[in-house]
């Protein structure tokens, strides 16, 4: 998340739909292509006694990546992609909304807001909001401060001389 925030460019705010389309092309489409690949692989090796508990169906191919990302053992590492996409999209929409309202927000204030969102995500997860769509929302909220910290760090890194 930090690295994604670090490489975020404010010029991306010019065209939200182009940004969302690019993120869909680079995050969501590969996620689903890999998920389809793993679903086919599971389906092929299942008769040989591998992953016998794994079901390959519409739900595991298309919905589980959104809900929890744990549908196939082989691609569990992709669970973070949907929340990452959500953080990207929420960030650019929030910034564009502020721009439309002529509100200039300090990056430290934006970071503080994101820290509040992260705390809310942890509170919700600890309160039992961790089923289906609730889980992805908790993950999104939890990731927001790390993404924002990447943006903040990038903005001030040239001025920071911690070794001086």
């Amino acid at each position: 998340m930090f690295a994604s925030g670090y490489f975020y460019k404010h010029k991306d705010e010019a065209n939200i739909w182009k940004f969302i389309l690019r993120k869909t092309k680079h995050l969501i489409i590969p996620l689903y292509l890999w998920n389809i690949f793993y679903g086919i692989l599971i389906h092929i090796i299942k008769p040989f006694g591998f992953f016998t508990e794994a079901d390959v169906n519409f739900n595991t191919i298309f919905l589980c990546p959104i809900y929890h990302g744990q549908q196939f053992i082989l691609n569990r590492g992709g669970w973070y992609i949907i929340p990452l996409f959500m953080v990207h999209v929420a960030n650019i929409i929030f910034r564009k909304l502020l721009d439309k309202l002529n509100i200039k927000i300090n990056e430290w204030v934006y970071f503080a807001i994101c820290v509040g969102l992260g705390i809310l995500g942890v509170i919700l997860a600890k309160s039992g909001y961790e089923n289906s769509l609730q889980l992805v929302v908790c993950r999104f909220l939890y990731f927001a401060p790390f993404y924002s910290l990447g943006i903040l760090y990038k903005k001030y890194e040239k001025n920071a001389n911690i070794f001086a």
Side-chain angles (χ1 to χ4, degrees):
M1 287 304 140
F2 177 85
S4 292
Y6 182 83
F7 291 111
Y8 169 75
K9 295 174 184 72
H10 289 282
K11 68 178 178 138
D12 288 335
E13 297 168 23
N15 188 332
I16 291 178
W17 297 113
K18 187 176 176 182
F19 177 82
I20 292 172
L21 182 62
R22 189 173 77 238
K23 290 299 172 186
T24 301
K25 200 164 76 173
H26 291 134
L27 292 173
I28 304 301
I29 292 173
L31 170 69
Y32 279 106
L33 289 175
W34 275 111
N35 206 42
I36 291 167
F37 168 78
Y38 282 122
I40 292 169
L41 181 63
I42 296 289
H43 188 70
I44 290 170
I45 64 176
K46 197 174 183 177
F48 299 102
F50 297 100
F51 307 108
T52 55
E53 72 285 345
D55 290 326
V56 179
N57 54 43
F58 181 84
N59 185 44
T60 56
I61 297 289
F62 296 104
L63 299 179
C64 286
I66 297 170
Y67 294 148
H68 54 72
Q70 304 288 325
Q71 63 281 7
F72 302 126
I73 293 171
L74 298 173
N75 66 337
R76 281 198 174 156
W79 66 267
Y80 72 94
I81 293 174
I82 297 292
L84 172 62
F85 177 79
M86 292 171 65
V87 169
H88 277 300
V89 171
N91 174 65
I92 197 158
I93 289 173
F94 184 69
R95 290 178 183 275
K96 190 67 166 180
L97 179 64
L98 290 175
D99 189 46
K100 289 282 187 194
L101 297 173
N102 289 324
I103 299 172
K104 301 295 180 207
I105 190 167
N106 182 292
E107 207 62 54
W108 285 99
V109 173
Y110 184 77
F111 174 66
I113 292 168
C114 288
V115 167
L117 292 174
I119 292 168
L120 176 63
V122 170
I123 290 169
L124 290 174
K126 287 182 144 266
S127 300
Y129 292 91
E130 53 188 32
N131 297 318
S132 64
L133 287 177
Q134 297 169 344
L135 178 60
V136 76
V137 170
C138 288
R139 287 174 174 171
F140 154 71
L141 293 171
Y142 181 77
F143 287 160
F146 299 103
Y147 186 85
S148 177
L149 183 61
I151 294 170
L152 183 69
Y153 180 80
K154 175 75 171 197
K155 182 173 182 171
Y156 293 106
E157 77 175 327
K158 291 180 177 79
N159 298 333
N161 189 357
I162 60 173
F163 299 110

